[in-house]
Every structure is written in C-alpha cells, then in structure tokens.
Amino acid sequence: MRLRLINRGLRSQYDFKRTPIFANCKRFSVSHNGSSNLDRPVSSFIPERNPEFSSRLENVQSGVDNVHGWSEAFSSKLEGVRQTVDNVCKILQSGPWGPSMEIGLSKCDENLSTELVTGVLRRLEDVNAALNYFRWIEKTTLQAHCPEAYNSLLMVMARTRNFEYLEQILEEISLAGFGPSNTVSIELVAGCVKKRKLKEAFDLIQTMRKFKIRPAFSAYTTVIGALSAVQEPDLMLTLFHQMQELGYEVNVHLFTTIIRAFAREGRVDAALSLLDEMKSNAFDADIVLYNVCIDCFGKAGKVDMAWKFFHELKAHGICPDDVTYTSMIGVLCKANRLNEAVDLFEQLEINRLVPCAYAYNTMIMGYGSVGKFDEAYGLLERQRQKGSIPSVIAYNSLLTCLGKKQRVDEALKIFQEMRKDAAPNLSTYNILIDMLCRAGKLDVALEIRDTMKAVGLFPNVLTVNIMIDRLCKAQQLDEACSIFEAMDHKVCRPNEFTFCSLIDGLGRRGRVDDAYRLYEQMLDFDLNPTAIVYTSLIRNFFKCGRKEDGHKIYKEMVRRGTSPDLTLLNTYMDCVFKAGETEKGRSLFEEIKSWGFTPDVRSYSILIHGLIKAGCARETYELFYAMKEQGYVLDTFAYNTVIDGFCKSGKVNKAYQLLEEMKVKGLEPTVVTYGSVIDGLAKIDRLDEAYMLFEEAKSKGVPLNVVIYSSLVDGFGKVGRIDEAYLIMEELMQKGLSPNVYTWNCLLDALVKAEEIDEALVCFKSMKELKCAPNTFTYSIIINGLCRVRKFNKAFVFWQEMQKEGLKPNMITYTTMISGLAKAGNVSEADKLFQKFQAKGGQPDSACYNTMIEGLSIANRAMEAYELFEETRLKGCNIYTKTCVILLDALHKAECLEQAAIVGAILREIAKSQHASRSL
C-alpha cells in the first residue's frame, strides 16, 4: 500500500500541469484584465453571491474528481504490472529454459510493455535466465529493445559479476546508436573492483571503447583508484590518457594518484614526466601533491629529489605542514642521513607550539634504527617535558628497533616502563612475542601471551602466526603444533598464513604426511590453499623421494582450479629434473607458457641444469645462446648453471670464456663460479691454471669454501704432486676451515697411490683426532693401500674396525679385502668373505674372481677353484692366463684330469687370441 501511494504521488506530481485543475487554478489566481483576484472583495468568492465564481468552483471540483479517477486507474494498472512481473519471475525461476517455459510466458500477459520487461530484468539474479527472456521478448514482439531494457540487462550482469555475454550486448547497443547509462557503466566496473578483479575492470572499459561507447567519468576514476592500491601504474596511465582523449577534465587529485604509483615503483622519469604535464596544463601543485612526492621519491631512494620538492614547496609560498616535515624526516632517517633529519626536526620544534607526535615517533624510529637508543630515550623525555605524552606508537617503534638489534632484555625493560605513558596494545605484544621467539625464548613469549590475556587483549591470528612461523623456522615443530591445536577457533580462527607456515615447517623436516593432513584440514576450514602451499608440498614430497605423491599434489591443484605462479612451476620443474624425469621436465617448461607465463632466467637455468645432468650438453648450449639473443638479462645464477654444465661435460675452455664474459658484463663471479671452473681444470690436469684462478679468487676477497680446496687437493694428489696437496690442506686449516671427509679421502688416496702407506696412516689418525668420521671410502682406501704393500693382517684389522663403526663395505672394499686375504694365503677367511659378499647381492669383478681361483688352487682346493672358474665364465668375466696356469697345475696334482683338459683347452684359446691380437 505504501508503494502504491508513493507511486501515485509521484505520478500526480509529474502530470500536474496537464490536468484541468491546473488550468482552473490559473484562472482563479489572475483575472481577465490582468488584476489579481486577491484585490477583489471577499463576497465575490461566495457561490451564492457570485454565480461566475460558483461556476468556476464547479469546474475545479470536476477536475479534482478526474484526477482521483485517473490516479485510481494508474494505481490499478501498476498493480497489474507488478503482479505480472511476479508471475514471469516465478516462471523463469522454475527450471531450465525450454518450449514449456515459453508457452507459460506467453500466457502470462499479451501486452509485453517496456515496464514489464524492465521490471522483470531488475528482479532477476541469473544472467542466463535474463538473457533468454530478453531474446524471447525480441522474437515475440519482433521489435528492438529500448535503452532502458538494455540497461536493466547490463545491471543484471553487474550484480552477478557475470560478463560472459557483455561484449555481445555492448556491440548491439553500439549498433543501435546509444550506450549504457552512466549509472550502469559505473556499476559494471564497480562490481569487478569489489571482487578485486581489476584486470577485468580494465578490460571492461577497453571493451566499451572498442564499441565507441563513452565510459562514465566515475568508472575511470574508480578503476584508477583501485589499480593504485595494487601498484599497476601503466594501466592507470592508459586509463588516464583515455580520459583526456574523451575530453574529461582531469584534476590535481588524479595526477597525484598516478604520480604516487610511479614514484613508489621507483620509476622517477615517468613520475617527473607527469609532473611536467600537470604544470603544462596550468595546474598548481598543492600541499598534498608535494607531500606525496617527498614521501614516494624518498622511499624510492631519491633523497635529493625529495629535498628538492621540500624546498620548492616553500619557494611557492606553501607552508610545510606536519605531514611534510614528518615525511622528509622519515626519508632522511631511512637513508641514514641522520644529522640532516635532526636539523629538520629542530626546525619543526621551533615553529610549533604544540609538539608534533608523528615527527617524534619518526625521529625515535630513526635513532633506534641506527642503534642510538640513548638519543631515542632522551627524545621521549623531551616530549614529556613539552607536555606531549609519548604514544604507544613511539614505544612500539622503539621495541621494534630493539628487537632488530637483538637487545631483548632492554626491550622487556622498556615494555615495563611504557605503562606509565601508554597502555600496550595488540601490536606491542606481537612485537615482543616475535622478538622472543626469534631469540629462542619461548617460555618468556608464552608468559607475555598470558599477560596479554590478563589485561583483556586476546591473541589474534597475527600473534599465533608469528609464534608458529618463528617456531617452525627454529625447527621447534612440536611446540608450533601445540600452539595451533590450542587455538580457540571461535575467538581466533586460523587463516591461510597459519596453515602455510605449519605445512612448510613440517614438510621441510620430512614430516610430509603430517603436512598433508594439515592441508586437508585447511580444506575443511573452507580455506583455499595458495600456490605457496602447493609449492611447499610438491617440493617436500620430492625431497623425501616420494615423487609420485608430488605429481599427485600438482594434479590436485589443477583439479581444484588453483592457478600456479611462476615460482611453483619453476620449483616443480626443478624437482622433476632432479628426480631424473628429463622428458617430464621438458614438457613442464612448455607448460609454463600454456599457463600464460613467460619463462624467466630461473626457468631457463633449471632447464639447462636438468639437461646437462641428463647428458644433453649440445642442447643446453643452444638454449643459453638463445636466451642471450632474446635479450634476457642473465644473472649470476644463470651463468653459474651453464659454467658448471660446461665443466661437467668437459667443455672447460667454454666455461673459462663465460667466466671472463661475466667479468666484462660487471657480474662478479661467486664462489660457485670459481669452484666449478677450478674443479673442471683440476680434473683434466690443468693444475697450474686452476691454481692461478684460485689465487685470483682469494685476491678478490671471494670467501673460498672446503669444496674448492678439496678440488685442488684431489687434482694435485692424482698427478703425484703430494707436497702441493699438503700445502693446500694446511692453508685450508689456517683459514679456520675444517677439511671434510672428501678432502681427507683425496689426500689419503694420493698417498696410497704413491705407496706412502705409513704417511697415510698418520693422516688417518689426524682425521679422527679432528673429529672427522671416516666413511666407507676412507676405509676402502686404507685397506687397499695396506694390501698393496702386502700388509694383509693389518688390512683385516681395519676391516673389522670398519664393521664395528657400523659402516657397510662396498664392492671395492670387499674385492680388495678378499684379494688381500687370498694372496696372504688365508684362503678360508677369503672364501667366507666371498660367500658373504655374494649372499648380500654383491657382484664380484674379474679381479676378485681370479684372485679367489688362484688362492683356492694354491690351497689345494682344486675342485672348488674349478667350480668358481666355471661360474666366472658364465658371468662373462675375463679369466687371466696366470689364473688358468695355476688352476691347471692344481687340477693335475688332484688328478682331476677331465677338468684339467677343459682348462687346458681354454688356456690354448686364450693363447691363440693373444697371438692373433699381437699379429694385428
């Protein structure tokens, strides 16, 4: 009823001038001769005494009756339209579109008026239903829709954020010669902005432009404002220039917004260009623009330019306000130009009767960031003396700086003192908890959390996230999990960051199943895992050797509709290559492009490294040079990857050339660069060049590691330059580095090959004294050395020691020990060891077989030697001539004539083949 009355009143006002009562009133107010009726006597207005007035009054009454009758008819018609709209909407919402629905709509109302169509469209919340109805009306009436109907359909799209058919509708509107209303234009882009789909909002405006439709001024400013929040200055500038093309009057505020965006990104030239354009358009910069320039240019590192704007502001007669001073002081503090900041702060204090609290806070932060805490405390006291109580922000700034300098005890003292001036807030407690967790003081952090609760402040999700993240990074996972499990989800509900920190922390420590269960719990909380979560799960599953589970995680991410980022795709590709799946790695590189990303330098570096490991060196060279031709700015990581690949594939000269190219391009070679080339040169016996490069790296202050020293020890040792290998080892220890087991093994191997076994035993003892535990290879080297000088019994002692240390002998160790025992005449022990080796799945080589056959033959165990001889032939191992002679002699002594005949025949075949090879 209320709606009916409102509509009736609005319609009555609209048509008032066209009703008879208006004409009568006009005649009533002014006489024919132009004089006002107010000048006439009162009696003339009494019907009984003035027949003319009586007649006019009857006409007025008749007009009023006509209005009432018309209003009732209009109200009845409006009610009918509303009822029809209800009926049509019910039909459209009853099910999918089809012939039966069209029949139902036809029965609803034969008069398909504009009011009915727009009324239905305004009520619908389904774009497909609205579009089907819209097309059905066209087909039924055989007439084009009016602008109001098109606007109503576009509003449905705006409300539902469904723009599937938008381009089609805009094209129709354009062809019809009109455009959407300003309200609709604004609503369309505002819908995208509310959903944070800013690229869609930008594209929507471009679609309008494509069909020669003029977007509303507010549509442009809405999108520009939203883009400024996500730092998209190029898109903002495009829209800004379009506004100018359309003749919209831009203002200083718009210039300020876009200049801020470019300045924040450090794109000084673009920002200054806009400033010049603004001045050329006769716009005067205001205090807001100057403050923005000072702040943004300063934060981009352009401190002198910020100073320029500060002085220019005063030169134009604009008085710097508190924001101006505070921004400039902050810029100077951040640039470590503290003296200038102090001078400016003093100027501010002189010119202000009331201290500026923001400037004090900034200056306190400036002092704290450089560790001048006495000056910061003095400033707090000065602020109190001037009648301005330091705020919680000032104390939070101070606590933050103390935390960064790891002055935890001092921070706790300040925390206790601050209560005199300001009550700690949630941020205060979060700063303290973060600081204590970083310092490993978990118990104190939990006490602070309890204190927080006692004063009525409950830990928020940020507090929990800080504690969980810090504990995970400190590898205190059980404590992190207990905090997560103790969360009261009604008061503090975990968010994406909570789960992400814990999933990554668990995964990095190998607890991938726990991490996956947490991921499932995240889904139960209706939280959408981000690409960061999936990256962590994929990386950690592969790291644990569970590559199939890693692949499943990726497929699950795709199935759930989560879009990966380039970091995820690079990580996945790296994991796949490291797992030995070269072809899968290649396909993932191509998949990067299918996701809409352009492979970056890291993508190419991972591909190159993976192909190098797979032995596809030629292909990697082509990729590297293709990167250079395409204009990629190659970083140190890319060069290191390719240099390492060249070295490992024997292309050391090319690696050397790339090292020199790095220097020319201004890229400083790292320890990895030098390490790869030095190792490559050492492996091909170009030791003098390797040593020169080693000295060059030292002269440049490159922090050399144990790996580089080990490469040189190995290189010098293999060519018998033992003294130089010793010198390298001594220098390593003088630098405060500890030789690792590989370094010791390189030196021991060199000494054994030089048959300096006593020196090797001394080094072995030194190795253990320096707390470097020998490994299987270490013992294999010593056992081999002792066997070479026929100290078999001592070798057996090391064999037993190795077993006590829990080390499992490898094939070389077994072969060496078996050969040694057999040669020493301890055939029984050698045979036992041989049988044990085979029982464990070991595969003896030719040398091991021949040694055992000889040993058994010498020990008068001829038939056992013959059986081993047959096994050796079946395995395809070579039989030595000497072995055949010793076995043949043993078989004759044991009167095994049949077996002796076979061995003799084989011996003759060996002799013939050797004679033939000599002839050739």
Side-chain angles (χ1 to χ4, degrees), residues 260-325:
R260 179 194 285 116
F262 277 106
R264 278 180 178 171
E265 279 203 347
R267 295 169 65 178
V268 178
D269 292 338
L272 291 174
S273 176
L274 278 166
L275 271 171
D276 292 338
E277 184 183 336
M278 188 193 79
K279 291 174 182 176
S280 68
N281 288 336
F283 286 112
D284 291 326
D286 57 11
I287 185 71
V288 176
L289 178 58
Y290 275 114
N291 288 346
V292 164
C293 289
I294 289 168
D295 183 59
C296 294
F297 280 98
K299 286 178 179 175
K302 307 295 180 181
V303 183
D304 292 333
M305 196 166 286
W307 259 130
K308 172 184 169 293
F309 284 116
F310 183 84
H311 294 305
E312 186 180 307
L313 175 148
K314 296 204 290 187
H316 282 81
I318 301 172
C319 183
D321 60 9
D322 289 346
V323 176
T324 317
Y325 276 105

Side-chain angles (χ1 to χ4, degrees), residues 46-117:
I46 301 172
E48 292 81 358
R49 295 190 182 182
N50 191 335
E52 183 186 352
F53 177 75
S54 177
S55 174
R56 290 178 182 178
L57 190 60
E58 287 173 4
N59 289 336
V60 169
Q61 185 63 44
S62 174
V64 170
D65 292 340
N66 288 337
V67 169
H68 284 306
W70 180 87
S71 297
E72 287 175 5
F74 175 75
S75 180
S76 176
K77 180 182 177 182
L78 191 64
E79 183 64 27
V81 171
R82 193 183 70 170
Q83 187 63 45
T84 307
V85 168
D86 289 340
N87 294 337
V88 170
C89 288
K90 285 177 183 176
I91 292 169
L92 290 170
Q93 292 165 359
S94 64
W97 185 268
S100 59
M101 186 174 285
E102 292 186 17
I103 293 167
L105 290 171
S106 300
K107 292 178 179 178
C108 242
D109 190 6
E110 293 181 0
N111 182 20
L112 301 173
S113 63
T114 300
E115 291 83 356
L116 173 64
V117 176

